[in-house]
Amino acid sequence: MAQKLKSQDLMELFNEKLDIAIEKFDLNEKIITTVNAKLKEIKNSSLKVEYEPLGTVIQENARMFKEHRSELLNIFEKQISTIKDVVKEKEKYQLHFYGALTVLSFLCTAFLYYGIDQHYQKVDAERKLKFYSSEAYRMNSYLKEKKLSEKYENWVESKKNSK
């Protein structure tokens, strides 16, 4: 069977929990009063700005910035002159490159023209060789048929000797 709680035990437990809650409430109250006191202190305090040292700091910073600005301008001008020199040099190289490219294109065109011309000359020579060889074959056949081969050879010999 389950034990029954006595009212005395229940009251003691309630008192313990109540003491813990009061301690926490006191702690919260202390924190709140401390924060409120600090807020009042912050509200009542004021900042005192001394402008005289600030003016000298501003003048010193302006002087330093002026010196650095002039140094930066000098560096900037040097860089610009260097870039201009590099650009001029690159333009010269670019001019040489395009000039060489133009000369090479003319040479390639000339070689291409020469090659095409040689090809057509070769084709023409082969055509003429074929024509003359067929003519020579027909003439030789004619000479053999008419039995004039020996006369022809004698005639060729006489022509060779007369030169």
Side-chain angles (χ1 to χ4, degrees), residues 36-53:
N36 283 338
K38 289 294 180 184
L39 283 174
K40 284 180 186 175
E41 187 179 319
I42 289 172
K43 284 180 185 176
N44 292 333
S45 66
S46 63
L47 292 175
K48 293 182 182 178
V49 178
E50 295 180 15
Y51 293 107
E52 291 177 15

Side-chain angles (χ1 to χ4, degrees), residues 138-152:
R138 276 188 273 154
M139 287 168 99
N140 197 17
S141 297
Y142 176 76
L143 289 175
K144 281 184 182 178
E145 186 180 307
K146 297 289 182 184
K147 296 184 182 174
L148 297 171
S149 299
E150 284 183 31
K151 272 186 170 181
Y152 175 72

Side-chain angles (χ1 to χ4, degrees), residues 93-148:
Y93 288 141
Q94 192 174 18
L95 181 65
H96 290 304
F97 172 74
Y98 285 121
L101 191 63
T102 304
V103 169
L104 286 175
S105 65
F106 284 139
L107 284 175
C108 287
T109 305
F111 284 136
L112 184 64
Y113 175 76
Y114 179 74
I116 291 171
D117 186 49
Q118 289 299 312
H119 171 72
Y120 283 122
Q121 283 182 5
K122 177 185 168 196
V123 168
D124 191 41
E126 286 174 351
R127 186 179 51 79
K128 285 180 182 178
L129 181 66
K130 192 175 184 182
F131 172 75
Y132 289 129
S133 67
S134 65
E135 278 297 312
Y137 179 74
R138 276 188 273 154
M139 287 168 99
N140 197 17
S141 297
Y142 176 76
L143 289 175
K144 281 184 182 178
E145 186 180 307
K146 297 289 182 184
K147 296 184 182 174
L148 297 171

Side-chain angles (χ1 to χ4, degrees), residues 2-162:
Q3 278 185 326
K4 289 187 177 180
L5 284 176
K6 294 181 183 176
S7 59
Q8 179 67 30
D9 291 336
L10 189 59
M11 288 302 285
E12 286 178 8
L13 184 64
F14 179 74
N15 277 336
E16 284 177 20
K17 296 288 182 183
L18 188 59
D19 289 339
I20 292 172
I22 288 173
E23 283 178 19
K24 285 184 180 178
F25 181 73
D26 288 342
L27 182 64
N28 286 342
E29 192 174 308
K30 287 179 184 175
I31 291 172
I32 290 172
T33 55
T34 306
V35 168
N36 283 338
K38 289 294 180 184
L39 283 174
K40 284 180 186 175
E41 187 179 319
I42 289 172
K43 284 180 185 176
N44 292 333
S45 66
S46 63
L47 292 175
K48 293 182 182 178
V49 178
E50 295 180 15
Y51 293 107
E52 291 177 15
L54 185 61
T56 58
V57 168
I58 289 172
Q59 288 175 354
E60 175 124 353
N61 283 343
R63 184 184 54 78
M64 284 191 324
F65 285 140
K66 191 179 258 186
E67 290 174 6
H68 291 299
R69 194 176 316 134
S70 64
E71 288 177 21
L72 287 174
L73 284 174
N74 288 337
I75 291 171
F76 181 68
E77 288 172 1
K78 286 179 186 176
Q79 291 297 325
I80 286 178
S81 66
T82 304
I83 289 172
K84 284 180 181 178
D85 292 342
V86 168
V87 166
K88 284 180 184 177
E89 187 175 323
K90 294 296 179 185
E91 284 176 353
K92 183 174 71 172
Y93 288 141
Q94 192 174 18
L95 181 65
H96 290 304
F97 172 74
Y98 285 121
L101 191 63
T102 304
V103 169
L104 286 175
S105 65
F106 284 139
L107 284 175
C108 287
T109 305
F111 284 136
L112 184 64
Y113 175 76
Y114 179 74
I116 291 171
D117 186 49
Q118 289 299 312
H119 171 72
Y120 283 122
Q121 283 182 5
K122 177 185 168 196
V123 168
D124 191 41
E126 286 174 351
R127 186 179 51 79
K128 285 180 182 178
L129 181 66
K130 192 175 184 182
F131 172 75
Y132 289 129
S133 67
S134 65
E135 278 297 312
Y137 179 74
R138 276 188 273 154
M139 287 168 99
N140 197 17
S141 297
Y142 176 76
L143 289 175
K144 281 184 182 178
E145 186 180 307
K146 297 289 182 184
K147 296 184 182 174
L148 297 171
S149 299
E150 284 183 31
K151 272 186 170 181
Y152 175 72
E153 287 177 12
N154 289 336
W155 177 77
V156 169
E157 284 290 325
S158 67
K159 287 292 180 180
K160 280 185 185 176
N161 290 336
S162 67

